[in-house]
Amino acid sequence: MLRLGDDALVLGQRLCAWITRAPLIEEDLALSNIALDLVGHARTLLTLAGRLDGTGRTEDDLAFTRRERDFGNALLTELPNGDFAMTVARQLAYTHYASLHYEALGDCPDPELAAFGARAAKEVAYHRLHADRWVRQLGLGTAESARRMQQGLERVWPYTAELFDEDDVVRRLAATGTVPSPAPLRPEWERRVTEVVTGAGLTVPTPSWDARGGRSGLHTEEFTDLVGELQSVHRQFSGGTW
């Protein structure tokens, strides 16, 4: 729950940075609404995590008082926004993964988690359609937009493998049927994103390396600034209520 919640929280924080900076007013609204959905996912997942680990920590405790090394989000979600095409590439990779993962969660035995998975899958489906549309629009637009879209894909793709990794935690939970492993989702993810990318006249990258470490708390240099911004108000007004 912490890992999935951190994915949503960190990516939501990244997308908020586009507000007033997106190429169109409509995209200011679209990206801010997607970010709000992600923060909503994070609230549910972090609340569940605080209850399940027995500490009684709230969603705010987990979001605003943990250190950088305590976050278990995938590195993909913390990548800097870059230009608009880079953000679109990151959204393409994440939304297709999240859509499949949340659909799988909808079948897990825990009724609360299953209900969350079913609801979140419907919301992420709209995020996925938004990303798909922009990949096609940029890929089939001008030579410059296609170049930038391909460049964004090349930048993002080395960070996608971590989304489907299995470690001892995932294998243990999957073996007991508590939650599904993301590993079996990768072939379908590859099929779906390949269809979108090639349909946009672009090429699916074949990275020569894969970035890992986020799930175990090893993050990029840029993550320090992201966490600092995320937690800045809480640090200034510690103990404040809203």
Side-chain angles (χ1 to χ4, degrees):
M1 298 306 95
L2 276 174
R3 291 174 177 181
L4 294 179
D6 288 348
D7 282 347
L9 179 67
V10 169
L11 185 55
Q13 179 73 10
R14 278 292 188 222
L15 291 179
C16 284
W18 274 110
I19 299 173
T20 75
R21 289 175 169 79
L24 301 168
I25 292 176
E26 289 85 351
E27 285 309 303
D28 276 352
L29 296 172
L31 292 173
S32 61
N33 280 326
I34 291 171
L36 283 173
D37 284 345
L38 291 171
V39 172
H41 299 168
R43 291 188 65 186
T44 299
L45 290 163
L46 295 182
T47 297
L48 281 171
R51 189 168 75 237
L52 290 170
D53 71 5
T55 64
R57 289 179 292 179
T58 67
E59 61 192 76
D60 285 350
D61 293 331
L62 291 168
F64 302 131
T65 65
R66 282 184 296 157
R67 301 169 301 170
E68 296 162 33
R69 287 293 300 268
D70 296 329
F71 282 80
N73 58 282
L75 295 178
L76 173 74
T77 61
E78 68 190 55
L79 289 178
N81 287 329
D83 64 11
F84 186 66
M86 160 76 183
T87 291
V88 169
R90 188 182 61 201
Q91 284 298 103
L92 175 74
Y94 176 80
T95 58
H96 278 269
Y97 151 77
S99 179
L100 289 167
H101 202 169
Y102 288 151
E103 286 174 6
L105 280 179
D107 295 326
C108 71
D110 182 274
E112 192 170 10
L113 188 55
F116 163 77
R119 175 177 62 83
K122 293 178 181 178
E123 293 175 346
V124 172
Y126 289 102
H127 307 172
R128 187 188 71 233
L129 291 173
H130 176 264
D132 291 355
R133 178 175 64 84
W134 270 110
V135 170
R136 294 189 183 99
Q137 189 163 332
L138 294 173
L140 300 174
T142 65
E144 177 64 9
S145 69
R147 182 189 71 79
R148 291 196 180 204
M149 191 65 246
Q150 185 65 50
Q151 190 175 56
L153 293 170
E154 299 288 346
R155 174 76 174 90
V156 161
W157 237 243
Y159 294 86
T160 59
E162 186 180 28
L163 297 172
F164 305 97
D165 279 351
E166 282 188 338
D167 61 5
D168 290 341
V169 173
V170 172
R171 281 190 287 269
R172 184 172 68 251
L173 292 172
T176 61
T178 306
V179 295
S181 168
L185 305 176
R186 187 168 186 176
E188 179 61 15
W189 176 86
E190 290 178 343
R191 186 192 69 78
R192 292 185 182 188
V193 296
T194 297
E195 182 179 348
V196 175
V197 171
T198 56
L202 302 167
T203 302
V204 177
T206 53
S208 59
W209 60 285
D210 292 319
R212 289 179 168 88
R215 294 299 191 209
S216 56
L218 302 176
H219 297 282
T220 60
E221 292 182 6
E222 295 85 358
F223 191 60
T224 299
D225 291 338
L226 184 149
V227 172
E229 184 179 64
L230 173 69
Q231 299 180 343
S232 61
V233 174
H234 185 275
R235 292 175 180 176
Q236 292 177 62
F237 303 101
S238 181
T241 56
W242 307 92

